[in-house]
């Protein structure tokens, strides 16, 4: 036994939650330290270094285990009375005012922060980050070093991986066959992605060797820290060098040609 339930009890959305107290040293927790709140011992493993800090709450059939931690005002919960639902494991961190619920899985070194929400059957793992006011749900998979942030939404059968960044007010909704956004794709602004045809990722092979993305729904370009229209991109490139301008113009012209073909 690494912890026990104390008599310090609160009622939270109809659930009786008990403050936990460490019985021995483990990880950065010392014997006698008080933690956050659980509904019962099934919410937090007695093994590993997993811990619930601050005012964080884990209840229902949610489970935190291995070396994961839940802190600040975060909530992890599940509603099923039959099986464990929300599951936080590995070295995952859930903090801020974020929420993990439904049958969501958060593991590896993943971070759920800010006011982020991960729910339904979503899986966030490896070194992925979900923060700000982002929402990930459905059967979405966010993995590797992908990041979903700001007010973005990822749902359906979507896969976001590698160094992909979903930000702004973007909406990514995978179709029945699944949607995979990988590489170094950046989906920004108010872009809406429903299929592989809704964006194109290019590689800058003439200067920085970074990737840049065009999104169809809002006809915008994401290039490094730049985000805007084709004319704004070309204007910025011309100020840097004639060579950059000519290269980016070739890509812009290609996209314009593709748009023309789509209209036919």
């Amino acid at each position: 036994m690494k912890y026990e339930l104390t008599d310090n009890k609160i009622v939270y959305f109809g659930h009786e939650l008990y403050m936990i107290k460490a019985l021995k040293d483990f990880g950065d927790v010392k014997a006698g330290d008080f933690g956050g709140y659980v509904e019962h011992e099934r919410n937090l493993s007695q093994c590993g270094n997993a811990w619930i800090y601050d005012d964080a709450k884990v209840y229902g059939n949610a489970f935190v285990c291995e070396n994961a931690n839940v802190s600040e005002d975060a909530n992890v919960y599940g509603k099923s009375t039959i099986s464990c639902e929300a599951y936080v494991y590995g070295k995952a961190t859930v903090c801020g005012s974020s929420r993990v619920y439904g049958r969501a899985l958060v593991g590896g070194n993943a971070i759920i922060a800010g006011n982020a929400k991960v729910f339904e059957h979503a899986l966030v793992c490896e070194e992925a980050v979900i923060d700000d006011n982002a929402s990930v749900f459905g059967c979405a998979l966010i993995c590797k070093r992908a990041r979903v942030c700001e007010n973005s939404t990822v749902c359906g059968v979507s896969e976001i991986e590698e160094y992909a960044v979903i930000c702004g007010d973007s909406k990514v909704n995978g179709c029945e066959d699944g949607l995979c956004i990988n590489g170094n794709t950046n989906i920004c602004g108010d872009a809406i992605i429903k299929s592989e045809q809704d964006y194109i990722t290019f590689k800058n092979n003439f200067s920085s060797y970074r990737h840049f993305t065009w999104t169809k729904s809002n006809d915008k370009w994401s290039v490094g820290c730049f985000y805007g229209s084709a004319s704004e991109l070309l204007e910025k490139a011309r100020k840097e060098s004639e060579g950059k301008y000519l290269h980016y113009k070739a890509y812009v012209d290609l996209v314009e040609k593709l748009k023309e073909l789509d209209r036919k």
Side-chain angles (χ1 to χ4, degrees), residues 2 13 26 46 48 116 119 125 131 139 146 163 166 245 254 257:
K2 71 180 185 184
F13 287 102
F26 58 92
Q46 291 282 3
F119 57 102
C125 59
D131 59 3
C139 293
Y163 291 87
I166 314 297
Y245 167 78
L254 171 61
K257 181 63 177 178

Side-chain angles (χ1 to χ4, degrees), residues 21-203:
K21 179 181 178 181
L23 298 177
K24 63 181 182 180
D25 296 350
F26 58 92
D28 61 353
V29 178
K30 303 299 181 184
D33 284 356
F34 290 95
Y37 296 86
V38 299
E39 187 169 10
H40 38 64
E41 288 187 13
R42 295 191 301 275
N43 295 135
L44 175 64
S45 174
Q46 291 282 3
C47 303
N49 294 324
W51 190 240
I52 301 165
Y53 299 81
D54 308 317
D55 290 319
K57 302 167 185 67
V58 181
Y59 56 96
N61 280 290
F63 186 52
V64 178
C65 63
E66 296 180 6
N67 297 303
N69 69 82
V70 183
S71 61
E72 298 179 22
D73 294 311
N75 285 325
V76 180
Y77 56 96
K79 297 180 181 178
S80 172
T81 57
I82 300 174
S83 61
C84 177
E85 288 201 343
Y87 195 88
V88 181
Y89 63 97
K91 295 183 178 180
T93 297
V94 180
C95 58
S97 297
S98 56
R99 290 188 287 163
V100 177
Y101 57 101
R103 298 197 174 199
L105 300 179
V106 177
N109 291 293
I111 296 175
I112 314 298
N115 292 301
K117 293 186 291 185
V118 180
F119 57 102
E120 292 184 354
H121 292 84
L123 169 59
V124 181
C125 59
E126 296 178 63
E127 297 181 25
V129 176
I130 315 297
D131 59 3
D132 298 326
N133 292 302
S135 296
V136 177
F137 57 99
C139 293
L141 166 63
I142 315 295
C143 61
K144 297 185 180 176
R145 295 187 179 182
R147 183 182 180 194
V148 182
C149 56
E150 296 178 9
N151 296 304
S152 297
T153 299
V154 178
C155 58
V157 192
S158 305
E159 289 186 26
I160 312 297
E161 57 183 55
E162 298 290 350
Y163 291 87
V165 176
I166 314 297
C167 59
D169 295 308
S170 304
K171 294 177 175 60
V172 178
N173 186 357
C175 56
E176 292 182 0
D177 296 328
L179 168 65
C180 183
I181 297 178
N182 54 26
N184 289 277
T185 302
N186 289 340
I187 307 296
C188 304
D190 56 353
I192 299 174
I193 308 297
K194 294 183 178 180
S195 74
E196 308 285 355
Q197 298 178 345
D198 291 335
Y199 74 98
I200 304 175
T201 299
F202 302 99
K203 181 177 181 180

